[in-house]
Amino acid sequence: MSSTLSARRLYEGRGVYPVGVSCWPPASLAHEHPEDDEERWLDGVRSALKHGTTLIALADICGLGRTERLLSGLWHEVPRESLQIACAAGHFRGTAPHPYAAPHLHHQLKQTLENLATDYLDLYVLDHTDFGPGERHLADAVRPLRAWRDSGVIRSVGLRVPGDGATADARRAFRHAQRALAPDVLVVEYNALTGPVLVDGTDVFDHAAERGLPVLVTSPLAHGLLAAPPAPRGPVRPPDADPGHPWFRPEILAAVREELRPLRERFGDAALPGLALRHCLDRSPDVVVLPGFGSPEQIALHYAGLDLPVAASDQDLIDATYAGLRSRTSRVTDSRACDGC
């Protein structure tokens, strides 16, 4: 099935703009819901839409459903049909035996549609490839998703690609799910800090191109590390970040701060987010990136470097800088992984 989620459609004047927005909310939205935080979050979404974004990605776990309900309040400002809404399944299970247990999955979709005040989703993503022992819940997930896609309740189905370090079981489950589900979109965590993401030895972007599938790239700014030079003591960790994530080790923060210096000196700090997004977009004409945001002001910075004129020598500088950054950070993570070997 050909997906509507293709960056190429931008150049035909319809479809999805290749820079979307990932709507993980401020931590306070999951608790006391202060009105000032809610309004600033909505202003961030509005800013993204004004810059051309047409794809909004979220999950019901974001703010425990609060984010979905907040977003539905924008339909009087922006026609629902002018946007593409992507939601993720599989983040939590409630009282179900597994997040992909069929009754739970049905309830989750029904609640998401109610929260968003809509009768369809443009994209529904299976956001992990753990289907339980013996993949017992794979069929539970595949059957309803295929039925919802056939009926139009879901316009496209996405499947997340296991990243670097995934277990053999996770990679095998992905292969089985891809065959059974025939996803319209692949979702992958990728940025200038990560190495190649492989599917059976093939780069994920080549794997997707061979099948005519677009790719949604999450964490294109590495939780903000590539969007601004980290302070010597490190950035404030975003609320959704794993506190043990290797990107937040002091050695990685120092490497990012030092290795990005040539780009800061050549283009300025404000251009860093756009350059990092371009790095991902350049992988394929059918890539859409999903940066998150912590404030409306950050949204504007995402676009600042997108339209910079880049000469061949500038591109060489960008490529060399990111290659050096990956090499240095991989040495740090590899040495930590071998501690005690």
Side-chain angles (χ1 to χ4, degrees):
M1 180 180 293
S2 176
S3 172
T4 59
L5 291 172
S6 172
R8 286 194 180 116
R9 295 297 185 93
L10 169 68
Y11 305 108
E12 300 173 12
R14 62 184 184 276
V16 173
Y17 187 78
V19 179
V21 61
S22 179
C23 291
W24 197 278
S28 57
L29 290 189
H31 304 292
E32 297 178 1
H33 319 311
E35 293 183 1
D36 55 343
D37 278 1
E38 292 179 359
E39 195 58 34
R40 278 182 60 75
W41 182 85
L42 286 170
D43 283 344
V45 177
R46 292 183 182 107
S47 177
L49 300 181
K50 288 177 182 177
H51 279 89
T53 287
T54 55
L55 174 63
I56 299 175
L58 67 168
D60 60 356
I61 198 173
C62 296
L64 302 179
R66 180 64 177 173
T67 306
E68 293 175 336
R69 291 187 286 274
L70 278 176
L71 186 63
S72 70
L74 291 181
W75 299 154
H76 70 284
E77 302 176 27
V78 183
R80 163 67 182 90
E81 60 274 13
S82 69
L83 300 178
Q84 303 251 357
I85 305 299
C87 290
H91 283 283
F92 71 128
R93 67 183 191 182
T95 58
H98 190 274
Y100 292 150
H104 178 72
L105 204 58
H106 279 80
H107 171 75
Q108 184 177 9
L109 176 63
K110 181 179 179 181
Q111 188 63 63
T112 286
L113 293 174
E114 181 179 320
N115 288 343
L116 286 167
T118 185
D119 56 4
Y120 70 95
L121 294 178
D122 299 279
L123 176 65
Y124 206 38
V125 178
L126 290 186
D127 214 31
H128 64 72
T129 52
D130 173 10
F131 297 100
E135 299 178 8
R136 61 181 297 182
H137 295 289
L138 175 58
D140 285 347
V142 169
R143 279 195 296 265
L145 284 170
R146 292 180 71 99
W148 292 330
R149 180 171 56 187
D150 290 344
S151 68
V153 175
I154 294 172
R155 304 294 171 85
S156 299
V157 173
L159 182 63
R160 181 171 288 278
V161 179
D164 184 34
T167 65
D169 287 344
R171 297 185 186 281
R172 182 170 53 252
F174 169 80
R175 292 195 297 271
H176 294 166
Q178 183 173 227
R179 285 196 295 269
L181 188 58
D184 307 291
V185 180
L186 296 181
V187 182
V188 63
E189 182 179 72
Y190 177 80
N191 56 61
L193 282 180
T194 62
V197 178
L198 302 180
V199 179
D200 293 333
T202 300
D203 184 90
V204 64
F205 298 99
D206 295 333
H207 175 85
E210 291 169 359
R211 290 157 177 76
L213 301 178
V215 178
L216 291 188
V217 171
T218 62
S219 299
L221 301 177
H223 291 297
L225 294 186
L226 298 170
R233 294 182 180 274
V236 176
R237 191 176 290 112
D240 58 319
D242 177 359
H245 199 293
W247 291 344
F248 293 96
R249 292 173 178 166
E251 304 97 316
I252 299 294
L253 298 178
V256 172
R257 184 170 61 252
E258 295 166 14
E259 295 293 332
L260 288 183
R261 184 177 295 113
L263 298 187
R264 298 201 304 272
E265 293 174 350
R266 175 66 183 90
F267 301 103
D269 287 352
L272 291 181
L275 294 178
L277 298 181
R278 283 166 66 152
H279 170 79
C280 299
L281 292 170
D282 286 346
R283 293 304 311 271
S284 166
D286 288 316
V287 168
V288 178
V289 293
L290 290 171
F293 68 96
S295 69
E297 294 77 19
Q298 287 180 346
I299 289 290
L301 291 177
H302 291 171
Y303 301 85
L306 286 176
D307 297 322
L308 280 177
V310 176
S313 58
D314 287 333
Q315 190 61 54
D316 289 343
L317 174 65
I318 294 169
D319 293 342
T321 298
Y322 287 148
L325 179 58
R326 283 192 299 277
S327 176
R328 182 170 171 184
T329 56
S330 66
R331 290 197 301 272
V332 172
T333 53
D334 288 347
S335 65
R336 281 297 189 95
C338 290
D339 283 351
C341 290

